Amino acid sequence: MANLNIKLVKSLNGRIAKHQATAEALGLRKIGDCTVQPDNQATRGKIAQIGYLLQVTEEN
């Protein structure tokens, strides 16, 4: 199964609390933070919610 590299590229300041919580659930707290998550439906759902804050690349 592939993994996704997820990087926070926009600030969480001023965002709604639900979006901030989703970013923290992914392990992203400040601009430039990166994480590797499995490519599954739960992760895709989180990305869909806050995709405008993220940069996502696929890792094989």
Side-chain angles (χ1 to χ4, degrees), residues 3-51:
N3 289 323
L4 298 172
N5 290 323
I6 305 170
K7 181 177 182 180
L8 185 64
V9 294
K10 292 187 180 178
S11 176
L12 294 173
N13 289 340
R15 308 297 177 186
I16 57 178
K18 188 174 180 180
H19 290 191
Q20 290 178 359
T22 302
E24 289 189 16
L26 287 169
L28 305 169
R29 299 186 187 278
K30 58 185 178 179
I31 295 174
D33 280 357
C34 295
T35 184
V36 176
Q37 298 287 328
D39 187 5
N40 58 34
Q41 292 298 319
T43 303
R44 290 287 181 169
K46 292 174 188 170
I47 291 169
Q49 186 176 28
I50 61 167

